[in-house]
Amino acid sequence: YAIANLRESGVNNCPVTLQIKPYADGRNQVIGTAAGGIYEDTIGYADGISRGVWIPPVSATGGNYFTNPVFGNATWSTGWTAGANLRAEQNTDLEYIAHGVNSARITKTGATSIYTQSLTLTVATYCLSCYAKKRDGSALTSSDIVMFYNPDGLATTFIALSNGWYRLFATVTGIAAPTATGVGIVLAGDSIYVDGFQAERLAYPTPFYYGD
């Protein structure tokens, strides 16, 4: 509906109520279908606007081997271990959460340290990944943080998302024994927020998924 010269113009703060009579009635129509996990990609967008819908591939290799990957347990840090010279704290500030309602704020206070879970994998190629952001939103590099698989920090690729968020990933050959798996912190004194950990039996990262 248009009056005067308002066609194709925006009118702010002008609510419109549209009533259709009689009520619309008809056969239900399918507008889309999805199988498996599906979510909107809003990570890193300060205004929360979606980049689009992500449909992760169906996993035939066991899914995500990290337990508590978004710190969603009743005790937020269940399963996670902070190494010596590392302080780990629960974060609930939405600016520093990529998934769920928590992330971990980790701060190195001395020599290079690690933040890990103990995972038992198989002798195969795995891709380890997580989301990370510095407190000031500046660029992340291997001088700050790397993916870790005992006993080494791994050659890590950094994908810039937006608003200071990065996705980190690295490949490794799994060990069929409990092994410390997570991140190694290189930067001293400042805080890095980590979230959305994933270990998958592939040579490349796929969209993050967790839960059933």
Side-chain angles (χ1 to χ4, degrees):
Y1 299 91
I3 59 174
N5 62 347
L6 294 181
R7 187 180 298 277
E8 298 182 359
S9 298
V11 181
N12 296 325
N13 302 316
C14 181
V16 174
T17 299
L18 180 64
Q19 187 176 37
I20 300 175
K21 291 185 177 182
Y23 62 87
D25 188 16
R27 182 176 297 176
N28 290 338
Q29 299 182 47
V30 176
I31 61 171
T33 62
I38 179 171
Y39 65 93
E40 288 191 300
D41 178 18
T42 58
I43 298 168
Y45 271 30
D47 57 10
I49 295 177
S50 173
R51 294 183 182 92
V53 175
W54 278 22
I55 304 177
V58 175
S59 173
T61 58
N64 186 355
Y65 288 84
F66 272 107
T67 60
N68 196 18
V70 298
F71 310 102
N73 284 38
T75 301
W76 74 275
S77 59
T78 296
W80 288 93
T81 300
N85 304 311
L86 191 81
R87 183 173 69 249
E89 303 164 290
Q90 179 184 18
N91 169 66
T92 57
D93 184 342
L94 292 177
E95 182 177 353
Y96 301 102
I97 296 174
H99 303 277
V101 296
N102 298 309
S103 65
R105 180 174 59 243
I106 50 181
T107 308
K108 185 169 79 78
T109 59
T112 299
S113 193
I114 57 175
Y115 190 59
T116 59
Q117 282 196 325
S118 179
L119 301 186
T120 300
L121 304 177
T122 60
V123 181
T125 298
Y126 287 81
C127 185
L128 310 178
S129 62
C130 76
Y131 293 79
K133 180 178 182 177
K134 291 172 71 170
R135 181 168 54 182
D136 62 3
S138 60
L140 274 175
T141 71
S142 57
S143 297
D144 304 307
I145 184 173
V146 294
M147 298 307 300
F148 178 87
Y149 192 65
N150 193 53
D152 300 314
L154 304 174
T156 301
T157 298
F158 293 77
I159 301 175
L161 301 177
S162 186
N163 196 32
W165 280 105
Y166 284 76
R167 194 177 190 195
L168 288 57
F169 73 90
T171 56
V172 70
T173 299
I175 300 172
T179 303
T181 310
V183 290
I185 307 303
V186 182
L187 178 70
D190 202 359
S191 296
I192 296 177
Y193 298 80
V194 289
D195 197 0
F197 283 82
Q198 186 155 290
E200 50 192 325
R201 205 169 74 202
L202 291 169
Y204 53 87
T206 64
F208 174 70
Y209 57 97
Y210 67 101
D212 295 333

